Amino acid sequence: MGEWKIVHFFLDPNQGDVTRRTAYIRYNGPLNGAPSFTIISNRCAHLGCPVQPNGPSFPDQTKSIDTGGGQHVTLIKMLPAGGFGCPCHGGQYDQEGNRTAGPPVRSLDRYEYSIRNGHLILGKTFSVAKVKGSGKDAIIYRYRLAGPGQHITGWEQIFYPLQPPQ
Ligand code: FES
């Protein structure tokens, strides 16, 4: 419980590498009789660069699983003790994906999920304004998926997307 994995997978195995995605997944223990997970997208909320864990990963503890239909999932143990950081413009996030520094305008996106036959199934991504608390007790202020740089709360949202003069 509490262990993080870097997870690589294909959004659409038929489309190949262009649909390769990365999520950061933590098992939070049981909640209301079902397993609880935190599943964070690695797409920075500033301009979409891939955020990295601020801590070590352990490639020697990699697991690769073929789940059928061309889907290949890779899990790598990691310890994002300092949260997540973006290499492009220095955006920083805590372990719940809350922005803590730099230019991102909101928290990191998350994945919906379900448990089917004992397997974790990732669903759609959604955007997050902020997360209060942590793990299975977290309160997530969620919104429909928004683009990088797009404000989803506050007065700034009325200006997005900016249109150039015609
Ligand atoms: S794209 Fe991540 S800080 Fe700019």
Side-chain angles (χ1 to χ4, degrees):
M1 197 170 83
E3 187 170 288
W4 283 95
K5 304 281 188 200
I6 303 168
V7 181
H8 302 297
F9 59 97
F10 295 115
L11 204 56
D12 180 353
N14 295 321
Q15 302 291 323
D17 267 343
V18 292
T19 71
R20 199 165 161 78
R21 296 289 185 274
T22 298
Y24 300 127
I25 302 183
R26 182 184 59 207
Y27 174 53
N28 297 323
L31 177 67
N32 301 326
S36 161
F37 293 90
T38 296
I39 308 179
I40 291 178
S41 164
N42 77 331
R43 185 182 72 154
C44 183
H46 178 220
L47 295 177
C49 283
V51 301
Q52 310 291 322
N54 290 335
S57 59
F58 303 89
D60 55 317
Q61 296 184 41
T62 298
K63 271 190 198 164
S64 291
I65 307 163
D66 280 318
T67 60
Q71 183 62 272
H72 185 84
V73 180
T74 305
L75 301 99
I76 306 165
K77 183 181 171 185
M78 65 146 172
L79 287 173
F84 302 94
C86 181
C88 289
H89 314 102
Q92 294 293 319
Y93 304 88
D94 67 16
Q95 284 198 23
E96 294 301 320
N98 286 308
R99 174 200 170 274
T100 55
V105 297
R106 59 175 201 264
S107 303
L108 290 168
D109 296 339
R110 290 191 178 210
Y111 284 83
E112 295 176 342
Y113 68 88
S114 57
I115 309 294
R116 257 181 261 153
N117 301 324
H119 296 287
L120 174 65
I121 309 292
L122 266 55
K124 291 182 177 165
T125 40
F126 60 92
S127 291
V128 177
K130 65 181 172 187
V131 178
K132 279 190 182 169
S134 63
K136 63 185 176 185
D137 301 317
I139 298 169
I140 300 163
Y141 294 83
R142 58 178 288 167
Y143 296 82
R144 66 182 167 76
L145 186 64
Q150 185 174 356
H151 292 268
I152 52 177
T153 56
W155 59 268
E156 297 94 338
Q157 62 185 305
I158 66 173
F159 293 117
Y160 190 91
L162 284 173
Q163 296 294 321
Q166 301 293 316

